[in-house]
Amino acid sequence: MSFNSRSVSLEGRRGLVTGIANDQSIAWGCSKAFRSLGAELAVTYLNEKTKSYVEPLAREVGVTMMLPLDLGVEGQLAAVFDEIAAQWGQLDFVLHSIAFAPREDLHGRVVDCSKGGFLQAMEISCWSFIRMAKLAEPLMSEGGTLFTMTYYGSQMVVEHYNLMGPVKAALESATRYLAAELGPQGIRVHAISPGPLQTRAASGIAEFDELLDKAQSKAPARSLVSIDDVGAAVAFLATDAAKLITGETLYIDGGYHIID
Ligand SMILES: NC(=O)c1ccc[n+]([C@@H]2O[C@H](COP(=O)([O-])OP(=O)(O)OC[C@H]3O[C@@H](n4cnc5c(N)ncnc54)[C@H](O)[C@@H]3O)[C@@H](O)[C@H]2O)c1
């Protein structure tokens, strides 16, 4: 296939976006980018309270389907995929942009974390991506792309990232295994690793401002990333132009990760 504007189009493609909490969410930046390349979207919201923030955003970009998804509620994830199967019958991409760890475990040393806190963080932030891949597989008979969000604290000990470090390391490893297992069916799988962004999830991390200052001063680009920067890269990876790129952990961090 020669490269042209059709190669970077998502016209006629359908995707599921999870993890929009508000207009600062990384998933919102991705939604705008997916829509601007022409994709049709289904988006999820955590609960009735979050719905009031997500609904106007969904309206702004013309989302087709809005569905509730709290991963702590048994059966709700399967119900999302059932609804997509019923309404669309197929799916081209899924964005998993969800993470959670109980505050007391996140704010302590990894060595002190509780079994319950560890398992809950793994379930909501990592296992749910594996389960989404399982539920998406039958809907991606023509191929597709799965995305999750990770962070550099998986590779290096980042002060205050604590328990989320090992959880994101598991998520990146799962990404590679899923990419290998689903690749023969044309399903690609990526972990996206943005630099620090001031979002609701980030507000749970202690001394987050220090992380932002360090990222800005140390990154070769001398710049923080925006949700739109992340969205542009993710939308590109969902297109046919990126059809032979899979299993990546892609840093969108102004180059921060290459500097000692
Ligand atoms: N903000 C950053 O600096 C940064 C950097 C790298 C990676 N990330 C990752 O990006 C992803 C999105 O986070 P964000 O920064 O956009 O923050 P955010 O708070 O906007 O998004 C987190 C989302 O997780 C959802 N969520 C939490 N528990 C859930 C549950 N039980 N069921 C369903 N949804 C649940 C929330 O509703 C929210 O929409 C996360 O995986 C995060 O770890 C964030």
Side-chain angles (χ1 to χ4, degrees):
M1 180 188 77
S2 62
F3 185 70
N4 57 41
S5 58
R6 272 208 320 276
S7 339
V8 284
S9 166
L10 292 174
E11 289 292 340
R13 305 288 166 88
R14 287 164 160 169
L16 168 66
V17 172
T18 67
I20 305 177
N22 54 40
D23 64 1
Q24 295 171 341
S25 295
I26 295 172
W28 170 237
C30 296
S31 299
K32 286 188 285 177
F34 288 139
R35 286 289 297 134
S36 67
L37 291 190
E40 198 177 340
L41 293 185
V43 305
T44 65
Y45 55 91
L46 180 65
N47 51 35
E48 286 307 305
K49 191 173 162 226
T50 317
K51 190 179 180 186
S52 62
Y53 296 102
V54 179
E55 212 158 33
L57 298 174
R59 217 176 301 121
E60 188 181 320
V61 292
V63 157
T64 311
M65 244 186 276
M66 266 190 74
L67 304 163
L69 176 62
D70 180 340
L71 293 164
V73 176
E74 190 65 38
Q76 220 166 47
L77 181 61
V80 165
F81 281 86
D82 285 348
E83 191 57 33
I84 286 173
Q87 289 204 34
W88 286 347
Q90 59 79 237
L91 196 54
D92 297 294
F93 58 89
V94 173
L95 180 83
H96 172 276
S97 190
I98 292 174
F100 178 81
R103 200 176 173 81
E104 56 279 18
D105 292 289
L106 183 61
H107 282 197
R109 303 185 305 170
V110 174
V111 72
D112 295 324
C113 78
S114 68
K115 180 180 174 185
F118 179 81
L119 293 178
Q120 193 180 7
M122 281 294 273
E123 180 179 358
I124 304 295
S125 318
C126 179
W127 153 255
S128 60
F129 183 53
I130 298 174
R131 183 50 39 166
M132 279 187 200
K134 168 91 176 155
L135 293 166
E137 185 181 8
L139 295 173
M140 291 186 165
S141 53
E142 309 279 296
T145 319
L146 307 170
F147 298 99
T148 188
M149 289 293 155
T150 185
Y151 178 61
Y152 181 65
S154 62
Q155 303 299 309
M156 301 299 280
V157 175
V158 173
E159 209 179 352
H160 305 299
Y161 202 59
N162 302 342
L163 175 59
M164 284 314 290
V167 171
K168 293 296 195 190
L171 183 64
E172 289 171 22
S173 179
T175 295
R176 290 186 286 274
Y177 279 84
L178 295 174
E181 291 168 1
L182 300 175
Q185 292 148 245
I187 301 175
R188 300 180 292 113
V189 191
H190 292 297
I192 306 299
S193 188
L197 287 139
Q198 197 90 62
T199 63
R200 218 160 100 225
S203 67
I205 293 165
E207 312 295 341
F208 193 73
D209 286 351
E210 279 175 23
L211 216 62
L212 291 171
D213 290 345
K214 197 172 163 197
Q216 176 137 33
S217 58
K218 193 178 131 182
R222 298 288 187 274
S223 172
L224 293 173
V225 300
S226 70
I227 59 169
D228 295 325
D229 296 323
V230 180
V234 169
F236 165 75
L237 286 172
T239 68
D240 289 345
K243 73 177 190 304
L244 290 179
I245 310 176
T246 190
E248 275 299 312
T249 294
L250 181 73
Y251 289 92
I252 303 167
D253 64 351
Y256 181 91
H257 68 286
I258 65 164
I259 300 295
D260 177 25

